[in-house]
Amino acid sequence: MKAYSREFLEQLYRTLYTIRVFETECIKLYRQGLIIGYFHPYLGEEAVATGACAALREDDYIVSTHRGHGHCIARGGQLNKMVAEVLGRETGYCKGRGGSMHIADIATGNIGANGIVGGGLPIGVGVAMGVHVRGSDQVTIIFFSDGACNNGVFAESLNLAAIWNLPVVFMLENNQYAVSSPVEEMSRVPDLYKRGEGYGVEAHQVDGNDVLAVYEKTCEAVDTCRLGKGPVLLEAKTYRHSGHHVNDPGTYMPKERLEYYRARDPIKIARNNLIEHARCTDQDIEAIEQHINQQMEKAIEFGKNSAQPSVEAFLEEIETN
Amino acid sequence: MKAYSREFLEQLYRTLYTIRVFETECIKLYRQGLIIGYFHPYLGEEAVATGACAALREDDYIVSTHRGHGHCIARGGQLNKMVAEVLGRETGYCKGRGGSMHIADIATGNIGANGIVGGGLPIGVGVAMGVHVRGSDQVTIIFFSDGACNNGVFAESLNLAAIWNLPVVFMLENNQYAVSSPVEEMSRVPDLYKRGEGYGVEAHQVDGNDVLAVYEKTCEAVDTCRLGKGPVLLEAKTYRHSGHHVNDPGTYMPKERLEYYRARDPIKIARNNLIEHARCTDQDIEAIEQHINQQMEKAIEFGKNSAQPSVEAFLEEIETN
Amino acid sequence: MSTETVNTDIKMRELMVREALNEALCEELARDERVFIMGEGIAQRGGSYKVTVGLLDKFGPKRIIDTPISEASFTGMCVGAAITGMRPVVEILFIDFTSLIIDQIVNQAAKYRFMSGGKGRVPMVLRTQGGSGNGLAAQHSQSLEAWYYHTPGLKVVMPSTSYDAKGLLKSAIRDEDPVVFIEHKLLYMDKGPVPDTDYTIELGAGDIKRPGNDITLVAWSGMVKRTLAAAEELSAQGIDAEVIDPRSLVPLDKEMILSSVRKTEHLIIIQEAIRRGGVASDIASIVQEEAFDYLDAPIKILAGKNTPIPFNVNLEKACVPRQEDIMRAVKEILNT
Amino acid sequence: MSTETVNTDIKMRELMVREALNEALCEELARDERVFIMGEGIAQRGGSYKVTVGLLDKFGPKRIIDTPISEASFTGMCVGAAITGMRPVVEILFIDFTSLIIDQIVNQAAKYRFMSGGKGRVPMVLRTQGGSGNGLAAQHSQSLEAWYYHTPGLKVVMPSTSYDAKGLLKSAIRDEDPVVFIEHKLLYMDKGPVPDTDYTIELGAGDIKRPGNDITLVAWSGMVKRTLAAAEELSAQGIDAEVIDPRSLVPLDKEMILSSVRKTEHLIIIQEAIRRGGVASDIASIVQEEAFDYLDAPIKILAGKNTPIPFNVNLEKACVPRQEDIMRAVKEILNT
Ligand SMILES: Cc1ncc(C[n+]2csc(CCOP(=O)(O)OP(=O)(O)O)c2C)c(N)n1
Ligand SMILES: Cc1ncc(C[n+]2csc(CCOP(=O)(O)OP(=O)(O)O)c2C)c(N)n1
Ligand SMILES: [Mg+2]
Ligand SMILES: [Mg+2]
């Protein structure tokens, strides 16, 4: 392993753990009926967003998905506004108008989640096109999963980014399912990064449960993009720890497979890094976790205490539409 | 070269020459103002349709494109009905309602031309899906060109045909332009058959100006499909002899490139085959050509003498829509 | 149900809309081996709304097909299969996602018969689901029937009850032309009587869900239930509303609406979609033209608010006509 | 042009619509470096209808971009670029092909501002072209403005003259929200006066193309010219028609139409699109509701025939309202 500062490894751990806690606590809120609609947890996939976003500069961009909480947090999103949004409150990122599937955080360059699978792909390429026209060197990471690779816009977007050498990292979170459909049944070549070659796009596979592996590969890809030699396609193999959304028991996920990936829990791996390479103690880590737990509690408090959007104000707002 | 019967080689030549004559004569009609709208000649590409369709059984299917006259003729379409259709007459394939871009000939299994670039791709895969559900062994050839490869449905359709092992030959007529856009600028990998691999689809390139080369490769692909091991992607490299449509001078086509392909004219190549391998004389060939010229003259006569569709009848027809 | 003569020997069961739809699919799959079904998660998982539960076991993976997320192409596939003699039923989980397939539906399916000079037919059904009401926000809550209503060559069906759902879906599958069949997410669990016989409902036959004399209320899909509830409550207040559910928007049972308006002289059309460019406007334009002299007051349209659907449940509810909005509008128009 | 105050010092040139559009693009590209243009064959070839001729030479390949046939994605790209501070103009050669991008327009561009709680904006223009009239048949001749008209979050603009085309396109590019700008294939070569100054026309301001007192005729895009011709001929026969061109359908200059109808008491709406579910129906529904007591006769709609557009030129012509149809309808409604 390369040498990383304790500070950096702690920072990664903080992000991973924050995502874990956010999802875990929100699932509780969902089961209490306080969150409604679709809620797609990122549990088990935390290392992808965390490693990828750690490779970015502050003025870079990301484009997220329906499973977007992890991306938002990894990019520096605020728990208060996130919780408030999934609770549908006026203080949320989208004033309660968007909900889980539409959180966007323009301040951190997070163009937003998307309810259309694959919808973010062309949008992200367009963000990069804007960069290109302006002559800047910002990089855009587009997150998407295996299912989105079968929406035609994946191939189109890959090709468009390629012919214009756009600074895009296509970050394929291959969690091996589109809802209940296993990637092996939806493509003859489940190693989806292999689609890159036909379009002349540099492509690699990486262990999506190992935050440092993701970080390192993304750094390389970002460098390539920054030099005007993009795009790069990265496939991070990972697995969900639960069903597609909160109400999906995920019975189609074979037990052994799930166990295998649970054993390779990204949080555990990152925790080990801290202990083995940064001389952190269990107590050090507990302190970090404690702090995050408290932040999340406060965020929930904030969300719950926030006002519902005013129906009257809303109706007035849309009068002029 | 494999040994082919004189009869077979003559048949190929007849088809090639018929397409050539049809396009040439219709362009004259167009310039006389008798044909209107978009008319996309297949001049220079005749060997692809001819070789491919020769590999099919009578109960097989083809799906065509906006540049579809060649496919229609190669599949056994009738000149009378074709000319009548491009002239917009009631006796045409589509009673003058469709025109050049929408000729379909259900009797010969020609599902039809299409005004949407790439539109025929999913349709063709669906024809094959019907075959699959019925448990038949009919094969479908889908014609499309380089431009259509950048419409997302190409990737989607390739993948769908692949995961269900459908009996589809994707016949990519790479004439190297989408209107004026050269394939090298629209993709980093202008050898477009290479896109097959990422989807696990067997793919080959073939000389699209050599009718026997196309025929042989298509026969192999059709066999593969018939055995339930489809799909197969074939890229036939070819070149237009003129602009995108009748009114496009095609000034963007480099002279040398055009000359190169004109020297490799598919008609010339097939003519040589007849002379070298089937002991045909110039006179024999002239007789064939003469006959086709006459058929085309008759077809034009037929078309010109056919009635325009009745506006009254049409208005009555659509009353019930 | 009032327009069909139902044999009294027939056993009625109380079925949920999703069960009625499942029966329709099941019966048509059994009756006609050309029928097959494609969609995301419809086979193994039985569909997000459980409409296709059990079909995979009964009819096998050749006819009940789980697809990748390739909406445009698997819909296009159905066009090709239909042209060549099959009778595909494709499911697009949300009508919002039909924006990905509208080329296949409008440029291919709807036009093929015409473009081929009448030689080709495209007997396929697009089953999809629309409407708001579950906190699913802007990209999963639209009411987009107007897009398909505006397309020559398509039929558009929107059932509101279990009985209608089954009978109309069977007719849609048997139809020789493409049919867009739009279900409503809030209705799947609603129960209603369904006979145990092989019945169909003609596409184009509206249904008077409640006869009345004072005012005509036209509503379809998710709006029927609350319109009926409003009518019941108004009846207690002495206002006798007639509630018409066209059931299929194309063809539209214009005559049923016109003769009702000629009787009641007042018309309110209630739709969930936004007003601008909606089907309600079109019905209003027809009625004002063909029953001008019968109208005692301008035709009123109650429609969805002119906005994408918000996530927050209170805002979401405020976007769509409610029972009290309907009652208020009736009283306003009747000046009571 | 009547609604704008035009300085009399200004030089007027006779420009074709396509030249006026070209000027608008040129000026906005020069004025604002955030503007860039994408589309098929728009750079090297200058566009199928020559609207973008010369722009590549002036502004270079970074801002004038030829694309592959990937409509969905290059339109989606414009959404992303617009969100992050650019002002893209995307060309889709035929409105028929916008069926491939409607997801990007409706689910992304139109909703982003709303879904982001007002923080994000999508200042992009979709330039496209519709209508029939060149023997281009069913997949290249549709009039689909109703789809976009029905979508909250979009503006819809349809110019009928060179002057309007330029002024409206400039406003569209400067607008903070997505605008669907629909040109008509038969108008590109039409000439009309265009001042040599930097003018814009407010989106939402209709134009009285011909004042009159006896009847109101509302028409847009390709229908304006023949409506004006009909009005001229009717005037010789003593009927004084007012012709209103809304120019932008969203926002719609409702007040201009209503006040005209209050004056003339008769309204005919002429549209090229098929009647069912078209914009004309919606305008009719508004007018019957808001000017009910002024109407002396039912509002009449002249619209395209309910069919895909046929290739044959005679059939094609029969599908769309003609000058004589308009004249006949006027006489019918006025009982003359
Ligand atoms: C275009 C589209 N089709 C279908 C859906 C319904 N849907 C929501 S999430 C999902 C699965 C997506 O799979 P994948 O892309 O692998 O993402 P993951 O859920 O694994 O993160 C589907 C089918 C949708 N939202 N959009
Ligand atoms: C979806 C779509 N986009 C654009 C067009 C306009 N168009 C017609 S033909 C053509 C070029 C097609 O190129 P290619 O697929 O290579 O076919 P070729 O003309 O070379 O046979 C284009 C862009 C169209 N008809 N459909
Ligand atoms: Mg996945
Ligand atoms: Mg080509």
Side-chain angles (χ1 to χ4, degrees):
Chain A
M1 203 180 98
K2 280 195 210 159
Y4 290 103
S5 72
R6 172 167 173 166
E7 194 191 337
F8 179 71
L9 293 177
E10 278 188 7
Q11 185 47 43
L12 291 182
Y13 189 75
R14 238 178 254 121
T15 304
L16 288 163
Y17 188 79
T18 306
I19 300 173
R20 177 66 51 96
V21 168
F22 178 86
E23 300 293 41
T24 310
E25 293 303 314
C26 283
I27 290 173
K28 289 185 199 156
L29 296 175
Y30 197 98
R31 300 219 190 282
Q32 290 162 28
L34 292 171
I35 299 176
I36 58 161
Y38 281 140
F39 190 99
H40 305 95
Y42 199 60
L43 294 171
E45 308 185 34
E46 295 93 339
V48 185
T50 305
C53 290
L56 287 181
R57 227 164 52 189
E58 208 170 308
D59 63 342
D60 289 331
Y61 296 102
I62 67 162
V63 177
S64 175
T65 68
H66 60 285
R67 197 178 300 289
H69 313 135
H71 312 135
C72 187
I73 291 171
R75 191 60 193 153
Q78 298 166 43
L79 293 184
N80 279 5
K81 290 189 182 178
M82 290 180 69
V83 173
E85 188 56 36
V86 297
L87 288 170
R89 305 305 165 103
E90 186 71 26
T91 53
Y93 264 117
C94 315
K95 300 185 176 178
R97 272 77 164 157
S100 162
M101 269 191 300
H102 303 297
I103 294 180
D105 183 9
I106 295 176
T108 60
N110 175 2
I111 303 307
N114 212 309
I116 305 295
V117 172
L121 284 155
I123 291 176
V125 177
V127 171
M129 180 57 106
V131 168
H132 174 73
V133 174
R134 291 194 299 274
S136 159
D137 71 343
Q138 294 151 289
V139 171
T140 301
I141 296 184
I142 306 174
F143 292 97
F144 60 106
S145 185
D146 49 299
C149 292
N150 296 323
N151 182 336
V153 292
F154 168 64
E156 289 185 2
S157 294
L158 204 62
N159 188 57
L160 292 170
I163 61 172
W164 295 313
N165 308 317
L166 294 179
V168 175
V169 180
F170 289 92
M171 180 57 78
L172 199 182
E173 318 186 288
N174 190 345
N175 61 7
Q176 309 181 46
Y177 288 96
V179 193
S180 57
S181 297
V183 66
E184 308 86 22
E185 288 178 26
M186 298 294 125
S187 178
R188 279 184 179 175
V189 185
D191 290 330
L192 294 163
Y193 78 96
K194 292 190 178 162
R195 292 189 184 176
E197 195 176 328
Y199 299 90
V201 172
E202 183 186 327
H204 307 279
Q205 203 172 43
V206 60
D207 179 351
N209 282 29
D210 180 345
V211 68
L212 286 172
V214 174
Y215 171 71
E216 287 169 15
K217 265 283 171 245
T218 312
C219 282
E220 289 171 27
V222 167
D223 285 348
T224 303
C225 287
R226 215 126 12 232
L227 291 170
K229 296 180 184 162
V232 178
L233 168 61
L234 295 182
E235 178 187 2
K237 272 253 155 72
T238 182
Y239 209 74
R240 297 184 315 234
H241 280 186
S242 52
H244 172 63
H245 52 51
V246 179
N247 287 332
D248 171 20
T251 44
Y252 47 83
M253 298 164 82
K255 263 221 181 78
E256 322 77 64
R257 198 97 176 256
L258 185 55
E259 280 320 310
Y260 170 80
Y261 278 99
R262 274 190 192 281
R264 308 205 68 261
D265 184 336
I267 312 281
K268 267 192 217 160
I269 292 175
R271 197 178 206 280
N272 278 349
N273 287 343
L274 275 180
I275 290 171
E276 285 178 25
H277 302 286
R279 279 177 270 171
C280 274
T281 64
D282 282 347
Q283 275 133 321
D284 294 337
I285 296 174
E286 212 160 294
I288 293 174
E289 295 180 352
Q290 225 23 60
H291 180 69
I292 293 168
N293 292 340
Q294 281 162 13
Q295 281 182 307
M296 186 61 193
E297 268 172 50
K298 278 190 208 149
I300 293 175
E301 214 51 36
F302 173 82
K304 283 184 175 171
N305 291 333
S306 291
Q308 299 274 350
S310 145
V311 173
E312 294 65 39
F314 168 71
L315 291 177
E316 218 166 277
E317 227 169 84
I318 62 173
E319 261 310 292
T320 54
N321 280 7
Chain B
M1 202 181 99
K2 282 196 208 159
Y4 291 102
S5 73
R6 171 166 174 165
E7 194 192 337
F8 178 72
L9 293 176
E10 279 188 7
Q11 185 46 44
L12 291 182
Y13 189 76
R14 240 178 253 123
T15 304
L16 288 162
Y17 188 79
T18 306
I19 300 172
R20 177 66 51 98
V21 169
F22 178 86
E23 300 293 40
T24 310
E25 292 304 314
C26 284
I27 291 172
K28 290 184 197 154
L29 296 174
Y30 197 99
R31 301 219 189 281
Q32 290 161 29
L34 292 170
I35 298 177
I36 58 162
Y38 281 140
F39 190 99
H40 305 95
Y42 198 61
L43 294 170
E45 308 185 33
E46 295 93 338
V48 186
T50 304
C53 290
L56 287 181
R57 229 165 50 189
E58 208 170 306
D59 63 341
D60 288 331
Y61 297 102
I62 67 162
V63 176
S64 175
T65 68
H66 59 285
R67 195 178 302 288
H69 313 135
H71 312 136
C72 186
I73 291 171
R75 190 62 193 153
Q78 298 168 44
L79 293 183
N80 279 3
K81 291 190 182 176
M82 289 180 69
V83 174
E85 187 57 36
V86 297
L87 288 170
R89 305 306 165 104
E90 186 71 27
T91 53
Y93 265 117
C94 314
K95 302 184 174 178
R97 273 76 165 160
S100 163
M101 268 191 299
H102 303 297
I103 294 181
D105 183 7
I106 294 176
T108 61
N110 175 1
I111 304 307
N114 212 311
I116 304 295
V117 171
L121 283 156
I123 291 176
V125 177
V127 171
M129 180 57 107
V131 167
H132 174 73
V133 174
R134 291 194 299 274
S136 159
D137 71 342
Q138 293 150 290
V139 171
T140 301
I141 296 184
I142 306 173
F143 293 97
F144 59 106
S145 185
D146 48 300
C149 294
N150 295 325
N151 182 336
V153 292
F154 168 64
E156 289 186 1
S157 294
L158 204 62
N159 187 57
L160 292 171
I163 61 170
W164 295 312
N165 309 315
L166 294 178
V168 175
V169 180
F170 289 91
M171 181 57 80
L172 199 180
E173 318 185 289
N174 190 346
N175 61 7
Q176 308 181 45
Y177 288 97
V179 192
S180 57
S181 297
V183 64
E184 308 85 23
E185 288 178 27
M186 298 294 125
S187 177
R188 279 184 179 175
V189 185
D191 290 330
L192 294 164
Y193 77 97
K194 292 189 179 162
R195 293 190 183 176
E197 195 177 329
Y199 301 90
V201 172
E202 184 187 325
H204 307 279
Q205 202 171 42
V206 61
D207 179 351
N209 282 28
D210 180 344
V211 67
L212 286 172
V214 174
Y215 171 70
E216 286 168 16
K217 265 286 173 241
T218 312
C219 282
E220 287 170 29
V222 166
D223 285 347
T224 303
C225 287
R226 225 157 322 256
L227 292 170
K229 296 180 185 163
V232 178
L233 167 61
L234 295 183
E235 177 186 3
K237 272 253 152 78
T238 183
Y239 210 75
R240 296 183 317 233
H241 281 186
S242 52
H244 172 63
H245 52 51
V246 178
N247 287 332
D248 171 20
T251 44
Y252 47 84
M253 297 163 83
K255 263 222 182 78
E256 322 79 64
R257 197 98 177 257
L258 186 54
E259 280 320 310
Y260 170 81
Y261 278 99
R262 275 188 192 282
R264 308 205 70 260
D265 184 336
I267 313 280
K268 268 193 215 157
I269 292 175
R271 198 176 204 281
N272 278 348
N273 287 342
L274 275 178
I275 290 171
E276 284 178 25
H277 302 284
R279 278 175 272 170
C280 273
T281 63
D282 281 348
Q283 276 133 321
D284 294 336
I285 296 174
E286 212 161 293
I288 292 174
E289 296 180 350
Q290 224 24 59
H291 179 70
I292 293 168
N293 291 339
Q294 282 162 11
Q295 281 183 307
M296 186 62 194
E297 269 173 46
K298 279 190 208 151
I300 293 174
E301 215 50 36
F302 172 83
K304 285 183 173 170
N305 291 333
S306 291
Q308 299 273 352
S310 146
V311 172
E312 293 67 40
F314 168 72
L315 292 177
E316 219 165 276
E317 229 169 81
I318 62 173
E319 259 311 292
T320 55
N321 279 6
Chain C
M1 211 179 340
S2 31
T3 53
E4 282 76 34
T5 49
V6 178
N7 187 323
T8 46
D9 294 353
I10 289 162
K11 263 228 273 320
M12 300 297 272
R13 292 94 26 88
E14 286 288 311
L15 294 187
M16 289 193 274
V17 169
R18 75 179 191 212
E19 293 167 331
L21 291 165
N22 184 274
E23 277 196 1
L25 292 169
C26 213
E27 288 174 19
E28 294 308 301
L29 280 156
R31 199 183 64 85
D32 185 346
E33 57 186 22
R34 298 170 304 170
V35 177
F36 69 95
I37 306 188
M38 298 185 83
E40 291 163 18
I42 60 142
Q44 295 272 6
R45 216 161 45 100
S48 278
Y49 290 95
K50 302 205 164 78
V51 172
T52 50
V53 160
L55 299 180
L56 176 63
D57 287 346
K58 282 197 194 96
F59 300 100
K62 263 198 173 179
R63 297 177 69 200
I64 313 296
I65 303 162
D66 272 336
T67 65
I69 305 176
S70 306
E71 282 88 358
S73 293
F74 69 73
T75 303
M77 284 179 63
C78 291
V79 180
I83 292 170
T84 48
M86 307 302 287
R87 297 196 158 253
V89 179
V90 58
E91 174 180 307
I92 298 292
L93 192 49
F94 287 85
I95 200 168
D96 312 72
F97 311 160
T98 67
S99 59
L100 295 162
I101 64 157
I102 193 164
D103 177 56
Q104 299 300 327
I105 296 297
V106 171
N107 281 326
Q108 313 295 349
K111 290 178 186 156
Y112 190 78
R113 179 181 175 184
F114 178 82
M115 292 188 307
S116 66
K119 281 177 213 125
R121 303 293 285 255
V122 187
M124 68 179 275
V125 177
L126 163 61
R127 271 189 55 237
T128 188
Q129 169 265 117
S132 66
N134 274 334
L136 298 185
Q139 292 175 337
H140 290 71
S141 302
Q142 288 166 98
S143 297
L144 297 174
E145 61 266 28
W147 287 356
Y148 300 102
Y149 182 81
H150 190 49
T151 305
L154 296 179
K155 298 192 175 72
V156 181
V157 179
M158 296 186 80
S160 70
T161 68
S162 298
Y163 178 85
D164 292 351
K166 180 172 177 184
L168 291 165
L169 183 52
K170 285 167 69 92
S171 289
I173 294 172
R174 296 182 194 183
D175 201 272
E176 295 299 325
D177 293 312
V179 178
V180 179
F181 190 93
I182 307 173
E183 303 158 13
H184 195 289
K185 56 170 71 60
L186 292 185
L187 295 180
Y188 284 119
M189 314 262 279
D190 276 19
K191 284 194 166 185
V194 176
D196 63 355
T197 52
D198 177 17
Y199 71 100
T200 59
I201 299 173
E202 189 195 340
L203 307 185
D207 189 32
I208 299 175
K209 290 277 186 253
R210 184 190 190 285
N213 287 304
D214 298 341
I215 183 166
T216 303
L217 305 178
V218 173
W220 55 92
S221 189
M223 291 296 107
V224 173
K225 215 164 76 170
R226 56 190 75 179
T227 302
L228 279 170
E232 280 319 309
E233 217 170 310
L234 287 165
S235 141
Q237 300 171 30
I239 298 172
D240 186 26
E242 178 147 299
V243 178
I244 291 182
D245 176 2
R247 301 195 291 200
S248 86
L249 297 175
V250 183
L252 181 70
D253 197 338
K254 207 173 75 170
E255 278 317 314
M256 181 180 279
I257 298 171
L258 287 171
S259 53
S260 177
V261 171
R262 287 192 197 105
K263 173 177 72 179
T264 66
E265 300 181 356
H266 293 89
L267 172 62
I268 302 180
I269 310 167
I270 300 107
Q271 87 182 356
E272 180 163 353
I274 75 156
R275 168 167 180 156
R276 191 174 68 212
V279 172
S281 302
D282 196 62
I283 296 176
S285 82
I286 295 169
V287 172
Q288 72 81 29
E289 187 162 0
E290 304 197 25
F292 188 73
D293 295 326
Y294 294 89
L295 284 170
D296 210 43
I299 301 161
K300 241 191 145 50
I301 293 173
L302 290 181
K305 293 282 184 288
N306 190 22
T307 171
I309 296 292
F311 168 64
N312 176 279
V313 65
N314 304 326
L315 303 190
E316 182 186 33
K317 285 212 176 101
C319 284
V320 172
R322 287 160 299 193
Q323 185 181 330
E324 57 266 31
D325 299 322
I326 302 169
M327 292 174 56
R328 191 177 328 108
V330 169
K331 290 179 186 169
E332 253 174 53
I333 200 175
L334 294 177
N335 278 319
T336 58
Chain D
M1 211 176 338
S2 32
T3 54
E4 281 75 36
T5 49
V6 177
N7 188 323
T8 47
D9 294 352
I10 290 162
K11 263 227 275 313
M12 300 297 270
R13 293 96 23 91
E14 286 288 310
L15 294 187
M16 289 193 272
V17 168
R18 73 178 191 214
E19 294 167 332
L21 291 166
N22 185 274
E23 279 197 359
L25 291 170
C26 214
E27 290 174 18
E28 294 306 303
L29 280 157
R31 199 184 64 86
D32 184 348
E33 57 185 22
R34 298 170 303 171
V35 177
F36 70 94
I37 305 189
M38 299 186 82
E40 291 164 18
I42 60 141
Q44 296 271 5
R45 216 162 44 101
S48 277
Y49 290 94
K50 300 203 165 79
V51 173
T52 50
V53 159
L55 299 181
L56 177 63
D57 287 345
K58 281 199 195 94
F59 301 101
K62 264 199 174 179
R63 295 178 68 198
I64 313 297
I65 304 162
D66 272 336
T67 66
I69 305 177
S70 308
E71 283 88 356
S73 292
F74 69 73
T75 303
M77 284 178 64
C78 292
V79 180
I83 292 171
T84 48
M86 307 301 288
R87 296 193 161 257
V89 179
V90 58
E91 174 180 306
I92 298 291
L93 193 49
F94 288 84
I95 199 168
D96 312 72
F97 310 160
T98 66
S99 58
L100 294 162
I101 64 157
I102 194 165
D103 177 55
Q104 300 299 328
I105 296 298
V106 171
N107 281 325
Q108 312 296 349
K111 291 179 186 156
Y112 190 78
R113 179 182 175 183
F114 178 82
M115 292 189 307
S116 66
K119 281 174 214 131
R121 304 293 286 253
V122 187
M124 68 179 276
V125 177
L126 162 62
R127 272 190 54 239
T128 187
Q129 170 264 116
S132 66
N134 273 333
L136 298 185
Q139 293 174 336
H140 291 69
S141 302
Q142 289 166 95
S143 297
L144 297 175
E145 61 267 28
W147 288 356
Y148 300 102
Y149 182 80
H150 189 49
T151 304
L154 296 178
K155 298 191 174 73
V156 181
V157 179
M158 296 185 80
S160 71
T161 68
S162 298
Y163 178 85
D164 292 350
K166 181 171 177 184
L168 290 165
L169 183 53
K170 285 168 70 93
S171 290
I173 294 173
R174 296 182 193 183
D175 201 273
E176 294 299 325
D177 293 312
V179 178
V180 179
F181 190 93
I182 308 173
E183 303 157 13
H184 196 290
K185 56 170 71 59
L186 291 186
L187 296 180
Y188 285 118
M189 314 263 279
D190 276 20
K191 284 195 167 183
V194 177
D196 64 355
T197 52
D198 177 16
Y199 70 100
T200 59
I201 299 173
E202 188 197 341
L203 307 186
D207 189 33
I208 298 173
K209 290 278 188 252
R210 183 190 191 284
N213 287 304
D214 298 340
I215 183 166
T216 304
L217 305 178
V218 173
W220 55 93
S221 189
M223 292 295 106
V224 172
K225 214 163 78 169
R226 55 190 75 177
T227 301
L228 279 170
E232 281 317 310
E233 218 170 310
L234 287 166
S235 140
Q237 301 171 30
I239 298 173
D240 186 25
E242 178 147 300
V243 178
I244 292 182
D245 176 0
R247 300 195 292 199
S248 86
L249 297 175
V250 183
L252 180 70
D253 198 338
K254 208 174 74 169
E255 278 317 315
M256 181 179 280
I257 298 171
L258 287 172
S259 54
S260 177
V261 171
R262 288 192 196 105
K263 172 176 71 178
T264 65
E265 299 181 356
H266 293 87
L267 173 62
I268 302 180
I269 310 166
I270 300 108
Q271 85 182 358
E272 179 163 353
I274 75 157
R275 168 168 180 156
R276 191 174 68 213
V279 173
S281 301
D282 195 62
I283 296 176
S285 82
I286 295 170
V287 173
Q288 71 82 29
E289 188 164 356
E290 304 197 24
F292 188 73
D293 294 328
Y294 294 90
L295 283 170
D296 210 42
I299 301 161
K300 242 189 142 51
I301 294 173
L302 290 181
K305 293 281 185 288
N306 190 22
T307 171
I309 297 291
F311 168 65
N312 176 279
V313 65
N314 303 326
L315 303 191
E316 183 187 32
K317 286 212 176 98
C319 285
V320 172
R322 286 160 301 195
Q323 183 182 331
E324 58 267 32
D325 300 323
I326 302 169
M327 292 174 57
R328 193 179 325 110
V330 168
K331 290 178 185 169
E332 253 174 52
I333 200 175
L334 295 176
N335 277 318
T336 58

